[in-house]
Amino acid sequence: MAKLSKIRRGQTLTTEPAPSRSLAQRLLVDNQRSFPILAFLLVLAITLLSVVSIERGEAETEQAQLNRVALSAASALERRVSINASYLRAGAALFSLQPEVTAPMFRRFVSELRLDTDYRGAEGIGWAPLWTVGPDGRTITGPGASAAGLHSIRPSLVVQPRNTIAAVRFLQPDTIRNRRAIGYDMYSEPVRRAAMDEAQQSVRPTASGKVVLVQEGGGEEPGFLIYMPVFQENEAGRRLRGFIYSPYNAEDFLRSAIELVDLDGMRLVLFDGEPRADNVLSSINAGGATRGASVAQELRVANRRMTVEVTSLRSDSLSLISMITLAFGIALASLLMLVLRLLAQQMVEDQRALAWFGEQNSIRNSLTRELNHRVKNTLANVLSIMTLTRRRSKTLDEFADALDGRIRALSATHDLLTQSDWGTTPIASVVAAELAPYTRAEDGALSMDGPMIELAPNDALSLGLALHELATNASKYGALSVAGGKVSIRWRMIGEGLAQVDWIESGGPEVSPRRQRGFGTDLIEKIVAHELRNPVHLSFDSDGVRCTLKIPVRQPVDFAMRAKPRVTGH
């Protein structure tokens, strides 16, 4: 009889190969966590490089603007000083020809210069004649000294004795602020005296160092002065008569010179010499931050070195376009990472779905082949039973009864297998199903006992056929055919993967030693023994039939059609 098909130990189901994927898809699926992060970091790196490039361009543009502003401011300051130096030179030339510089003469000279319209940045133009102090320290000699009077000289000769005086005699325009300087001896102050001595030696306009003008009235705003010596030629030679000069408030001078310079976002500082904190003359926009770039431009102010420094007031934060670029780059990188993550998840889900469909298709094909094979086996069993039953039957009724019982036995066992989804079936269930008619008819005639042992489907079918034949024989000729007869069915494990079922009849009719061999005996000893792959010991003792069946106990993976297969494939 043909065997039922099995999925043997170690057998695997192969699914259909998954569709080939592109390199990008493989990278995305195989690196579904790292690839989106890598893409995020790549876009972020590109964004940062763009921001760095933008900032570098902004810095270069800013540096160029600082250079331009510094050069423009220095040029403007030098132009202001050049104009003033021209006025001072003209005044020196004029006064050198006069026996004395009088107040009307000086006012007329200054008025002709039209300082209100053409001369901005300076406090005005002044005249400081050079006077000599007498030996007694109480008299001064020189042009205009008698008119000025000793009492008007500051500081007093009593407090600060000295031999030479260069006191301010006139200062135009005639304002309250400028009147504070009248009578002040500029020779009494070292910085001013040094500038006047240098002007005398060079015979050209010379600027002083950092001073506080007398006009400030005790204030602390720094400034400087430009001196031009006035000489008088006579028979004895050239004699210094005094100085024509211009006082400058540094802040006014700086602001007047940069009216056409755009200082938006920049700080401008004017230094006397080196750009140091103690040399600051004036600054514009000094309250801002000083973290930005700076440019220093050197200039010459009336034969004195000064420095203009322009500093950017821009903070350390990124520019607007850089911030927009950075925000856009981060948003784009985040969106790209999210999209790639979603695509990777979708691809993984698609891969799983394709693998699952392939697995289900493989299982369906296997089940179809298994079902087809089992149907053929069942039909072969039925045909074998019909053939052997027909050969052993003498009448049609006998054939029909024998065939009906055996088909029912197969049907009962099939019902058990169907209920277990063609999985394992307990021996107790097979015994109960096959002997159910006799337990109802003969109470106490059957005794069944044994542990829980699960059988494979085809082994359960074979046991069911054997039990059916034994029960049928017992009901006709053996212990179940008479009152008081008993049948004992016991099962147990006798080794690793092997169970034993014992059928023992007692209390029945005496068994004849010359009994005729029937189909049931052949079915048990040949067909069932072949299916169980173990010999069946069937003996017809005088006190009753004894049958011992050894049945393999296998793991579900050896036969279960619906056990989860190991899927291979790519």
Side-chain angles (χ1 to χ4, degrees), residues 83-105:
I83 295 174
N84 176 256
S86 300
Y87 293 156
L88 296 181
R89 288 179 184 274
L94 175 63
F95 296 156
S96 65
L97 301 178
Q98 305 300 322
E100 183 180 354
V101 179
T102 62
M105 179 192 304

Side-chain angles (χ1 to χ4, degrees), residues 232-252:
Q232 187 177 36
E233 299 288 344
N234 53 30
E235 296 178 354
R238 190 174 65 174
R239 183 177 65 87
L240 180 64
R241 297 185 59 187
F243 295 91
I244 184 171
Y245 76 99
S246 287
Y248 285 84
N249 177 281
E251 182 175 356
D252 294 341

Side-chain angles (χ1 to χ4, degrees), residues 523-536 549:
L523 179 66
I524 294 173
E525 292 182 341
K526 295 180 180 180
I527 298 178
V528 173
H530 177 75
E531 287 294 321
L532 297 179
R533 297 191 298 280
N534 284 289
V536 177
L549 299 96

Side-chain angles (χ1 to χ4, degrees), residues 235-402:
E235 296 178 354
R238 190 174 65 174
R239 183 177 65 87
L240 180 64
R241 297 185 59 187
F243 295 91
I244 184 171
Y245 76 99
S246 287
Y248 285 84
N249 177 281
E251 182 175 356
D252 294 341
F253 171 62
L254 187 60
R255 290 187 179 278
S256 66
I258 60 168
E259 293 177 351
L260 300 180
V261 178
D262 184 12
L263 289 179
D264 184 25
M266 288 176 283
R267 187 185 74 168
L268 181 64
V269 182
L270 177 63
F271 295 92
D272 178 29
E274 296 291 335
R276 299 196 311 265
D278 58 335
N279 286 345
V280 175
L281 287 173
S282 180
S283 62
I284 299 177
N285 297 336
T290 59
R291 299 178 183 175
S294 63
V295 172
Q297 179 66 43
E298 187 176 302
L299 68 153
R300 302 297 294 183
V301 175
N303 200 32
R304 185 174 184 84
R305 178 191 171 197
M306 292 188 181
T307 304
V308 170
E309 184 181 71
V310 182
T311 304
S312 173
L313 298 181
R314 194 183 74 170
S315 64
D316 291 337
S317 61
L318 298 177
S319 63
L320 179 60
I321 186 171
S322 295
M323 295 180 64
I324 293 175
T325 302
L326 183 60
F328 177 77
I330 292 176
L332 180 62
S334 302
L335 180 61
L336 180 61
M337 181 177 65
L338 178 61
V339 170
L340 289 178
R341 188 64 184 270
L342 293 176
L343 286 177
Q345 291 178 352
Q346 185 63 44
M347 287 183 181
V348 170
E349 292 297 327
D350 291 343
Q351 293 284 333
R352 291 175 180 172
L354 289 174
W356 186 84
F357 285 131
E359 177 184 341
Q360 294 302 310
N361 183 59
S362 178
I363 293 175
R364 184 174 61 252
N365 293 337
S366 298
L367 289 176
T368 301
R369 291 192 298 269
E370 181 71 19
L371 180 61
N372 183 47
H373 195 54
R374 289 189 176 183
V375 169
K376 290 181 178 180
N377 283 348
T378 302
L379 292 177
N381 286 336
V382 172
L383 291 175
S384 298
I385 293 172
M386 290 178 61
T387 301
L388 293 176
T389 302
R390 181 174 57 82
R391 291 176 183 175
R392 302 286 181 168
S393 300
K394 297 179 180 180
T395 64
L396 182 60
D397 291 338
E398 183 181 355
F399 169 76
D401 291 341

